[in-house]
Structures are given as structure tokens and as C-alpha cells.
Amino acid sequence: MEHSEAVSPVEAISRRVREARKRKDMTAQELADRLKASGVGWDRQTVTKLETGRRQNVSVVEWLALARALDVAPVHLLVPLEAGGSYQVTPNERANFERVRYWVRGLVPLGRTRVRIWNTEVPAAELQAWDEDQERGRSADGEQEHQEEAER
């Protein structure tokens, strides 16, 4: 899907909420009821205002509650699913959908970020797990290479 202008976070959320709700054959009232049960006091009209673009903001609490109520990962409400579009990360910065999804997941830095600094803001347990995965991958690759050599 081509976009001439960048999609804002609230535009993406409103579109994705509407798509996910309809795909699940859920009414706006049913979504509002799920949100109320989770502690977010939305009614049917609030859901409709969001989905039609008449609500211009979504709090982080509301975003997470929407994702929970719709049984989707929060990133999949925040960033459109299709490829190739432009996303308004900040008022002055755009990036493509794929890059933003990776950034939100913490997999890659965005823009001119210094990678060394980016990596200092990762929990130590995640870095250790990543290092262990990398080591396992290297040893598995090495084992596979030895097996292939033996078969030749």
C-alpha cells in the first residue's frame, strides 16, 4: 500500500484497531466492554471516534489495553502491517514501516543512532541471551560445515 504522506502513530492505531476488530467479528460495543473490563473506561462512541479519526490521541495505557483486548502484539497496532509505507516517528522524522517495527521491537537503532550507545540501554540478561544465541549459531554452523566436509 503506497502512502503519499507519512502515517502518524494515532492514524496507524486507529486503522489497525478497526481492521483487527472487524477481522475478529467484534462490534465496537464489544471492544468497549473488553476495554472497560481491563480498566480503560471507553464506550462505543470512543471506539468509533478512534476508528474514524475523530479522536486524535491514544495514551500508552489505552494502546496497550487495545492490543490486549484485540489479542494482538502492541507493535502490530502501532505500525501498519504492510510494507513500503512511510511512518511519522517524530514530527521531524520519518522511516519506513519495516524499520520502525524493528526499532520498536528493540532489534535495530533508528536513523543516526550510535550503535554502541544503543546497546548500552539493553537489559544485561537480553545481551547475555543474544550472545549465547550467537555462540550457539556459530557452533551449529561449524558443526554443519564439518558434517558437510565429511560427506564430501
Side-chain angles (χ1 to χ4, degrees):
M1 176 177 203
E2 292 292 323
H3 296 280
S4 58
E5 292 189 26
V7 175
S8 76
V10 175
E11 289 169 329
I13 291 170
S14 65
R15 182 175 6 137
R16 290 291 302 128
V17 165
R18 183 177 54 252
E19 291 168 358
R21 181 181 63 76
K22 288 183 176 184
R23 191 172 10 268
K24 295 172 187 306
D25 291 323
M26 185 186 301
T27 67
Q29 184 61 56
E30 289 170 330
L31 178 55
D33 292 343
R34 285 185 177 197
L35 290 166
K36 280 182 189 170
S38 72
V40 173
W42 281 23
D43 56 18
R44 184 190 56 76
Q45 291 85 5
T46 306
V47 172
T48 301
K49 284 179 183 177
L50 175 69
E51 291 182 353
T52 59
R54 290 179 294 154
R55 191 168 202 270
Q56 296 299 309
N57 57 37
V58 176
S59 74
V60 173
V61 170
E62 292 166 337
W63 165 54
L64 295 173
L66 283 162
R68 185 70 183 110
L70 291 165
D71 294 322
V72 300
V75 67
H76 298 312
L77 288 185
L78 186 62
V79 184
L81 298 179
E82 63 266 14
S86 181
Y87 191 86
Q88 196 74 45
V89 178
T90 71
N92 296 327
E93 184 176 7
R94 295 177 177 193
N96 69 46
F97 293 162
E98 298 86 350
R99 186 71 181 198
V100 172
R101 275 193 296 275
Y102 288 138
W103 174 64
V104 169
R105 289 178 177 140
L107 300 174
V108 297
L110 192 63
R112 297 182 187 128
T113 302
R114 290 175 35 205
V115 175
R116 181 170 279 187
I117 293 172
W118 165 268
N119 287 332
T120 64
E121 297 299 326
V122 176
E126 284 184 27
L127 283 175
Q128 182 178 353
W130 187 83
D131 286 343
E132 290 169 2
D133 286 347
Q134 292 297 314
E135 187 59 38
R136 270 190 233 114
R138 273 184 281 220
S139 65
D141 289 343
E143 290 171 16
Q144 185 174 357
E145 288 173 14
H146 291 301
Q147 286 176 339
E148 289 173 359
E149 287 174 15
E151 291 173 2
R152 287 186 209 153

Coordinates of all heavy atoms in Angstrom, one line a residue, residues 49-92:
K49 N -15.0 7.0 17.5 CA -14.2 8.2 17.2 C -12.8 7.9 16.9 O -12.2 8.5 16.0 CB -14.3 9.1 18.5 CG -15.6 9.8 18.6 CD -15.6 10.7 19.9 CE -16.9 11.4 20.1 NZ -16.9 12.2 21.3
L50 N -12.2 6.9 17.6 CA -10.8 6.5 17.2 C -10.8 5.9 15.8 O -10.0 6.4 15.0 CB -10.3 5.5 18.2 CG -8.9 4.9 17.9 CD1 -7.9 6.0 18.0 CD2 -8.6 3.7 18.7
E51 N -11.7 5.0 15.5 CA -11.6 4.3 14.2 C -11.9 5.3 13.0 O -11.5 5.0 11.9 CB -12.6 3.2 14.2 CG -12.2 2.0 15.1 CD -13.1 0.8 15.1 OE1 -14.2 0.9 14.4 OE2 -12.8 -0.2 15.7
T52 N -12.6 6.3 13.3 CA -13.0 7.3 12.2 C -12.1 8.5 12.2 O -12.3 9.4 11.4 CB -14.4 7.7 12.3 OG1 -14.6 8.3 13.6 CG2 -15.4 6.6 12.1
G53 N -11.1 8.5 13.0 CA -10.1 9.6 13.0 C -10.5 10.8 13.7 O -9.9 11.9 13.7
R54 N -11.6 10.8 14.5 CA -12.1 12.0 15.2 C -11.5 12.0 16.6 O -11.6 13.0 17.3 CB -13.6 12.0 15.3 CG -14.3 12.2 13.9 CD -15.8 12.2 14.0 NE -16.2 10.8 14.4 CZ -17.3 10.5 15.0 NH1 -18.1 11.5 15.4 NH2 -17.6 9.3 15.3
R55 N -10.8 11.0 17.0 CA -10.0 11.0 18.3 C -8.5 11.1 17.9 O -8.0 10.3 17.2 CB -10.3 9.8 19.1 CG -9.7 9.8 20.5 CD -10.3 8.7 21.3 NE -10.2 8.9 22.7 CZ -9.2 8.6 23.5 NH1 -8.1 8.0 23.0 NH2 -9.3 8.9 24.8
Q56 N -7.9 12.2 18.3 CA -6.5 12.5 17.8 C -5.4 12.0 18.8 O -4.2 12.3 18.5 CB -6.4 14.0 17.6 CG -7.4 14.5 16.5 CD -7.1 13.8 15.2 OE1 -5.9 13.8 14.7 NE2 -8.1 13.3 14.6
N57 N -5.7 11.3 19.8 CA -4.7 10.8 20.7 C -5.1 9.5 21.3 O -6.2 9.2 21.5 CB -4.3 11.8 21.8 CG -5.5 12.2 22.6 OD1 -6.4 11.4 22.9 ND2 -5.6 13.5 23.0
V58 N -4.1 8.7 21.7 CA -4.2 7.5 22.4 C -3.1 7.4 23.4 O -1.9 7.6 23.1 CB -4.1 6.3 21.5 CG1 -4.2 5.0 22.2 CG2 -5.2 6.3 20.4
S59 N -3.4 7.2 24.7 CA -2.4 7.1 25.7 C -1.7 5.8 25.6 O -2.2 4.8 25.0 CB -3.0 7.3 27.1 OG -3.7 6.1 27.5
V60 N -0.6 5.6 26.2 CA 0.2 4.4 26.2 C -0.7 3.3 26.9 O -0.8 2.2 26.4 CB 1.5 4.5 26.9 CG1 2.2 3.2 27.1 CG2 2.4 5.4 26.1
V61 N -1.4 3.6 28.0 CA -2.2 2.7 28.7 C -3.4 2.2 27.8 O -3.7 1.0 27.7 CB -2.8 3.3 30.0 CG1 -3.9 2.5 30.6 CG2 -1.7 3.6 31.0
E62 N -4.0 3.2 27.1 CA -5.1 2.8 26.1 C -4.5 1.9 25.0 O -5.2 0.9 24.6 CB -5.7 4.1 25.6 CG -6.5 4.9 26.6 CD -6.8 6.3 26.1 OE1 -6.2 6.8 25.2 OE2 -7.8 6.8 26.7
W63 N -3.4 2.3 24.5 CA -2.8 1.5 23.4 C -2.5 0.0 23.8 O -2.9 -0.9 23.1 CB -1.5 2.2 22.9 CG -0.5 1.4 22.1 CD1 -0.8 0.7 20.9 CD2 0.8 1.1 22.3 NE1 0.3 0.1 20.4 CE2 1.3 0.4 21.3 CE3 1.7 1.5 23.3 CZ2 2.7 -0.1 21.2 CZ3 3.0 1.1 23.3 CH2 3.5 0.3 22.2
L64 N -2.0 -0.1 25.0 CA -1.7 -1.5 25.5 C -3.0 -2.2 25.8 O -3.1 -3.4 25.5 CB -0.8 -1.4 26.7 CG 0.6 -0.9 26.5 CD1 1.3 -0.8 27.8 CD2 1.4 -1.8 25.5
A65 N -4.0 -1.5 26.3 CA -5.3 -2.2 26.6 C -6.0 -2.6 25.3 O -6.6 -3.6 25.2 CB -6.2 -1.2 27.4
L66 N -5.9 -1.7 24.2 CA -6.4 -2.1 22.9 C -5.8 -3.3 22.4 O -6.5 -4.2 21.9 CB -6.3 -0.9 22.0 CG -7.2 0.3 22.1 CD1 -6.7 1.5 21.4 CD2 -8.6 -0.1 21.6
A67 N -4.5 -3.4 22.5 CA -3.8 -4.6 22.0 C -4.2 -5.8 22.8 O -4.4 -6.9 22.2 CB -2.2 -4.4 22.1
R68 N -4.3 -5.7 24.1 CA -4.8 -6.8 24.9 C -6.2 -7.2 24.5 O -6.5 -8.4 24.4 CB -4.6 -6.4 26.4 CG -4.9 -7.6 27.3 CD -3.8 -8.6 27.3 NE -4.2 -9.7 28.2 CZ -4.5 -10.9 27.7 NH1 -4.5 -11.2 26.4 NH2 -4.8 -11.8 28.6
A69 N -7.1 -6.3 24.4 CA -8.5 -6.6 24.1 C -8.7 -7.2 22.7 O -9.6 -8.0 22.5 CB -9.3 -5.3 24.2
L70 N -7.8 -6.9 21.8 CA -7.9 -7.4 20.4 C -6.9 -8.6 20.2 O -6.9 -9.2 19.1 CB -7.5 -6.3 19.4 CG -8.5 -5.2 19.3 CD1 -7.9 -4.0 18.6 CD2 -9.8 -5.7 18.6
D71 N -6.2 -9.0 21.3 CA -5.3 -10.2 21.2 C -4.3 -10.0 20.1 O -4.1 -10.9 19.3 CB -6.1 -11.5 21.1 CG -6.9 -11.8 22.3 OD1 -6.4 -11.5 23.4 OD2 -8.0 -12.3 22.1
V72 N -3.6 -8.8 20.0 CA -2.6 -8.6 19.1 C -1.4 -8.0 19.8 O -1.5 -7.4 20.9 CB -3.0 -7.7 17.9 CG1 -4.1 -8.2 17.2 CG2 -3.3 -6.3 18.4
A73 N -0.2 -8.2 19.2 CA 1.0 -7.6 19.8 C 0.9 -6.1 19.7 O 0.4 -5.6 18.6 CB 2.3 -8.1 19.1
P74 N 1.2 -5.3 20.7 CA 1.1 -3.8 20.6 C 1.8 -3.2 19.4 O 1.3 -2.3 18.8 CB 1.8 -3.4 21.9 CG 1.6 -4.5 22.9 CD 1.7 -5.7 22.0
V75 N 2.9 -3.8 19.0 CA 3.6 -3.2 17.8 C 2.8 -3.3 16.6 O 2.8 -2.5 15.7 CB 5.0 -3.9 17.6 CG1 4.8 -5.4 17.2 CG2 5.8 -3.2 16.5
H76 N 1.9 -4.3 16.5 CA 1.0 -4.5 15.3 C -0.2 -3.6 15.3 O -0.9 -3.6 14.3 CB 0.6 -6.0 15.1 CG 1.8 -6.9 14.9 ND1 2.8 -6.6 14.0 CD2 2.2 -8.0 15.6 CE1 3.8 -7.5 14.1 NE2 3.4 -8.4 15.0
L77 N -0.4 -2.9 16.4 CA -1.4 -1.8 16.3 C -0.7 -0.5 16.0 O -1.2 0.4 15.4 CB -2.1 -1.6 17.7 CG -3.1 -2.7 18.1 CD1 -3.8 -2.3 19.4 CD2 -4.1 -2.9 16.9
L78 N 0.5 -0.3 16.5 CA 1.3 0.9 16.4 C 1.8 1.2 15.0 O 1.9 2.3 14.6 CB 2.4 0.9 17.4 CG 3.2 2.2 17.5 CD1 2.4 3.3 18.0 CD2 4.4 2.0 18.5
V79 N 2.2 0.1 14.3 CA 2.8 0.3 13.0 C 2.0 -0.6 12.0 O 1.8 -1.7 12.2 CB 4.3 -0.2 13.0 CG1 5.0 0.0 11.7 CG2 5.1 0.5 14.1
P80 N 1.7 0.0 10.8 CA 0.9 -0.8 9.8 C 1.7 -2.1 9.5 O 2.9 -2.1 9.5 CB 0.9 0.2 8.6 CG 0.9 1.6 9.3 CD 1.9 1.4 10.4
L81 N 0.9 -3.1 9.1 CA 1.4 -4.4 8.7 C 2.1 -4.4 7.4 O 3.0 -5.2 7.1 CB 0.4 -5.4 8.8 CG -0.3 -5.7 10.2 CD1 -1.4 -6.7 10.1 CD2 0.7 -6.0 11.2
E82 N 1.6 -3.6 6.4 CA 2.1 -3.7 5.1 C 3.5 -3.2 5.0 O 4.0 -2.5 5.9 CB 1.1 -3.0 4.1 CG 1.0 -1.5 4.3 CD -0.2 -1.1 5.2 OE1 -0.8 -2.0 5.8 OE2 -0.5 0.1 5.2
A83 N 4.1 -3.4 3.8 CA 5.5 -3.0 3.6 C 5.4 -1.7 2.7 O 4.5 -1.4 2.0 CB 6.3 -4.1 2.9
G84 N 6.5 -1.0 2.8 CA 6.8 0.1 1.9 C 6.2 1.5 2.2 O 6.4 2.4 1.5
G85 N 5.5 1.6 3.3 CA 5.0 2.9 3.7 C 5.9 3.7 4.5 O 6.9 3.3 5.0
S86 N 5.5 5.0 4.7 CA 6.3 5.9 5.5 C 5.6 6.2 6.8 O 4.4 6.5 6.8 CB 6.5 7.2 4.7 OG 7.3 8.1 5.4
Y87 N 6.3 6.2 7.9 CA 5.8 6.4 9.2 C 6.4 7.6 9.9 O 7.6 7.8 9.8 CB 6.2 5.1 10.1 CG 5.5 5.0 11.4 CD1 4.2 4.4 11.5 CD2 6.1 5.5 12.6 CE1 3.6 4.3 12.7 CE2 5.4 5.3 13.8 CZ 4.2 4.7 13.9 OH 3.5 4.6 15.1
Q88 N 5.5 8.4 10.5 CA 6.0 9.7 11.1 C 6.4 9.3 12.6 O 5.6 9.3 13.5 CB 4.8 10.7 11.1 CG 5.3 12.1 11.4 CD 6.0 12.7 10.3 OE1 5.5 12.6 9.1 NE2 7.1 13.4 10.5
V89 N 7.7 9.0 12.7 CA 8.2 8.7 14.0 C 8.2 9.8 15.0 O 7.8 9.6 16.2 CB 9.7 8.2 13.9 CG1 10.3 7.8 15.2 CG2 9.8 7.0 12.9
T90 N 8.6 11.0 14.6 CA 8.5 12.2 15.4 C 8.0 13.3 14.4 O 8.0 13.1 13.2 CB 9.9 12.7 15.9 OG1 10.7 13.1 14.8 CG2 10.6 11.5 16.7
P91 N 7.7 14.5 14.9 CA 7.2 15.5 14.0 C 8.2 15.8 12.9 O 7.9 16.2 11.8 CB 7.0 16.7 14.9 CG 6.6 16.1 16.2 CD 7.5 14.9 16.3
N92 N 9.5 15.5 13.1 CA 10.6 15.9 12.1 C 11.2 14.7 11.5 O 12.2 14.8 10.8 CB 11.6 16.7 12.8 CG 11.1 18.1 13.2 OD1 10.2 18.6 12.6 ND2 11.6 18.6 14.3

